[in-house]
Amino acid sequence: MSVLRLTAEEQALLDGAAGRGVQRAMEIVATLGRIYGAADLVPVSHAQISGVSYKNLGDAGVAFLREWADQGAHVCVPTTLNPMGMERGRWQAWGIRPEFAGPQLLLVEALVKMGVEPTLSCTPYLFPGYVPRRADALAWSESSAVAFANSVLGARSNREGGPSALAAAIVGRTARYGYHLDENRRADLIIEIKCPVRSVADFGALSYLAGKAAGNEVPWFEGLAEWLPSLPADLTLGGAAGDRLKTLGAGLAAYGAVALYHIAGYTPEARDLGPALLRPDARRLVIEDLDAAYRVMDADPDLRKIDLVPVGCPHASLSEIEQVAGYLKGKTLATRLWVTTGEITRRRAAQSGFVETIEAAGGEVVADTCAVVAPMQMLNVRSMATNAGKMACYAPMHSGVRMRFGDLERCLDAAISGEWDPGEPRSRLKPD
Ligand code: F3S
């Protein structure tokens, strides 16, 4: 352990000057700082807390948070919340039992009492007023959001745990180590792309290959920018580039432990610093095609009947919801479709008529939750089809479902017919 320098104010918080709740938060932040060899603490502009589903936290987690709230702890920077295990307005209609819903609501209530905003979404960067700026220090804990903030926005966050992000929000600081330091933002692994990467599903497949190879290193992609249109001026809209990068970061964090990646000529630090960002001993990996990833991620070829098609992992942007609405206009679904998103985005989608179109087809635009953190067995969902790399990785493990993986159109076709089409995916047959 190194010597962590605290200011007089920080030391006073650690000594309990602001009460036991704040003292507890400073103990967590300072202990992590000492473990990771931080020299000091850095003020954060925003915190984001994950791990808030009762499915994951259980009764011990609810008791821990309620006790902390009762000790008078309160966040001092804007703090948002990841999805919970159900939608606020529809859990009863879905058949979620009170023994799950009751403690889930108590858990969120404890966080709200501490001043956390119940955004209940893994994509805070899609909400007007929350998009971090370049070099902002953050304490975010949702791994997909950390990857987006670090890589696409050039902000700085470690992969905080839920309690450490909350502790940072309460004291307004986090330990300065890891991705807060320039040296740790350099790339260890050059990944040269020599194949088409055309869709969100393709970016998910790429995240499997790259995530497995990178582990917790920082990848540097070459030849990927040509598959990315420009980001929209208003990042909260998503857009084709935002949606692809959202899924890339989520998959890199799920299949590996990547919290930061660079894309040559595209992401902000790669544009500004160029090859100076590469470590001299960086390894090189060449990806010639994505077939191996599709074979692993779509590994249940006998599965035909689909109970649920979840779209929006990470939570859907306005542009993704528009795309789904456009495809489903005038059609009728044979099976369940969830387009999962944040309530803030759902309201914007409703204003544009997209929610009405999806619901007219028989789908649901679902806020506050997702098909990984909701109790899917309680909802009788045993099989899914997804175009999201992270969902393909997590839902079989966390929700006990069988899974098909492919392009969005193929997933929506499965929602329309109720079955996965065993033929070759159309988009992968298209010429370049
Ligand atoms: Fe978000 Fe759930 Fe995917 S929390 S990143 S939609 S697994």
Side-chain angles (χ1 to χ4, degrees):
M1 290 200 190
S2 75
V3 178
L4 175 73
R5 283 191 316 276
L6 296 179
T7 63
E9 185 195 351
E10 291 160 356
Q11 186 62 52
L13 298 182
L14 190 58
D15 293 340
R20 178 60 193 139
V22 178
Q23 182 183 33
R24 191 180 210 177
M26 188 53 98
E27 284 168 358
I28 293 172
V29 170
T31 301
L32 286 172
R34 291 193 185 102
I35 290 171
Y36 287 105
D40 59 1
L41 307 184
V42 56
V44 295
S45 62
H46 182 245
Q48 195 264 352
I49 299 167
S50 67
V52 292
S53 172
Y54 176 62
K55 179 176 163 182
N56 303 324
L57 275 190
D59 291 325
V62 179
F64 172 77
L65 288 172
R66 294 186 80 197
E67 184 189 272
W68 208 352
D70 288 344
Q71 289 170 335
H74 201 277
V75 302
C76 66
V77 295
T79 304
T80 50
L81 204 54
N82 233 31
M84 64 169 169
M86 60 196 201
E87 187 182 286
R88 275 168 282 199
R90 276 193 281 201
W91 61 269
Q92 282 149 314
W94 286 351
I96 296 212
R97 292 194 285 273
E99 58 265 34
F100 182 93
Q104 176 66 82
L105 292 171
L106 284 177
L107 194 158
V108 173
E109 188 184 289
L111 288 160
V112 169
K113 187 175 170 184
M114 287 190 259
V116 177
E117 295 168 55
T119 47
L120 298 166
S121 174
C122 46
T123 55
Y125 49 86
L126 292 178
F127 300 154
Y130 289 107
V131 185
R133 290 159 309 174
R134 177 92 184 260
D136 274 358
L138 313 171
W140 283 16
S141 57
E142 162 54 39
S143 62
S144 63
V146 170
F148 195 93
N150 274 328
S151 315
V152 182
L153 306 177
R156 297 182 168 215
S157 181
N158 288 317
R159 280 172 62 143
E160 301 272 358
S164 76
L166 178 56
I170 291 167
V171 298
R173 300 155 170 87
T174 190
R176 195 193 304 270
Y177 70 96
Y179 297 105
H180 293 289
L181 303 175
D182 288 344
E183 174 58 20
N184 297 326
R185 299 180 71 85
R186 300 182 72 194
D188 313 279
L189 174 65
I190 301 165
I191 301 180
E192 200 178 329
I193 307 298
K194 292 198 160 180
C195 59
V197 193
R198 297 190 186 94
S199 62
V200 164
D202 277 359
F203 273 76
L206 172 61
S207 76
Y208 170 83
L209 299 173
K212 289 282 180 200
N216 63 2
E217 292 181 333
V218 177
W220 164 279
F221 291 99
E222 286 179 356
L224 190 56
E226 64 191 89
W227 301 103
L228 286 162
S230 302
L231 282 163
D234 178 359
L235 285 169
T236 68
L237 297 174
D243 295 341
R244 290 171 190 189
L245 294 171
K246 177 162 75 72
T247 211
L248 176 65
L252 287 170
Y255 290 109
V258 172
L260 165 66
Y261 61 86
H262 303 290
I263 300 175
Y266 194 90
T267 49
E269 282 157 276
R271 264 198 331 258
D272 289 357
L273 301 172
L277 260 180
L278 291 168
R279 290 189 193 284
D281 58 348
R283 298 178 291 124
R284 183 174 285 271
L285 169 75
V286 178
I287 294 184
E288 306 267 5
D289 65 57
L290 303 174
D291 292 351
Y294 273 93
R295 275 197 299 277
V296 174
M297 296 167 77
D298 184 33
D300 198 345
D302 297 331
L303 176 62
R304 296 274 188 277
K305 183 180 167 297
I306 302 297
D307 293 337
L308 173 75
V309 174
V311 177
C313 171
H315 269 177
S317 67
L318 199 58
S319 58
E320 279 176 308
I321 300 174
E322 180 178 13
Q323 211 182 340
V324 174
Y327 197 82
L328 296 184
K329 198 172 176 61
K331 302 200 172 86
T332 304
L333 303 185
T335 196
R336 225 165 157 181
L337 168 84
W338 277 10
V339 182
T340 50
T341 191
E343 177 58 30
I344 294 170
T345 305
R346 180 165 70 176
R347 262 187 254 130
R348 295 174 88 187
Q351 281 161 7
S352 302
F354 306 145
V355 174
E356 197 181 358
T357 303
I358 292 168
E359 298 199 339
E364 291 171 273
V365 181
V366 169
D368 307 338
T369 191
C370 79
V372 167
V373 296
M376 301 315 291
Q377 300 286 327
M378 204 184 283
L379 301 179
N380 290 320
V381 171
R382 312 272 175 224
S383 58
M384 295 184 194
T386 186
N387 70 331
K390 179 172 176 179
M391 183 62 64
C393 177
Y394 277 26
M397 273 192 290
H398 294 272
S399 297
V401 294
R402 297 175 68 188
M403 179 66 79
R404 296 300 309 242
F405 173 75
D407 283 339
L408 178 64
E409 291 77 7
R410 207 171 186 202
C411 293
L412 295 177
D413 285 345
I416 292 165
S417 69
E419 295 216 337
W420 187 259
D421 179 351
E424 267 299 298
R426 276 172 296 155
S427 63
R428 308 204 74 227
L429 291 174
K430 277 185 211 154
D432 291 353

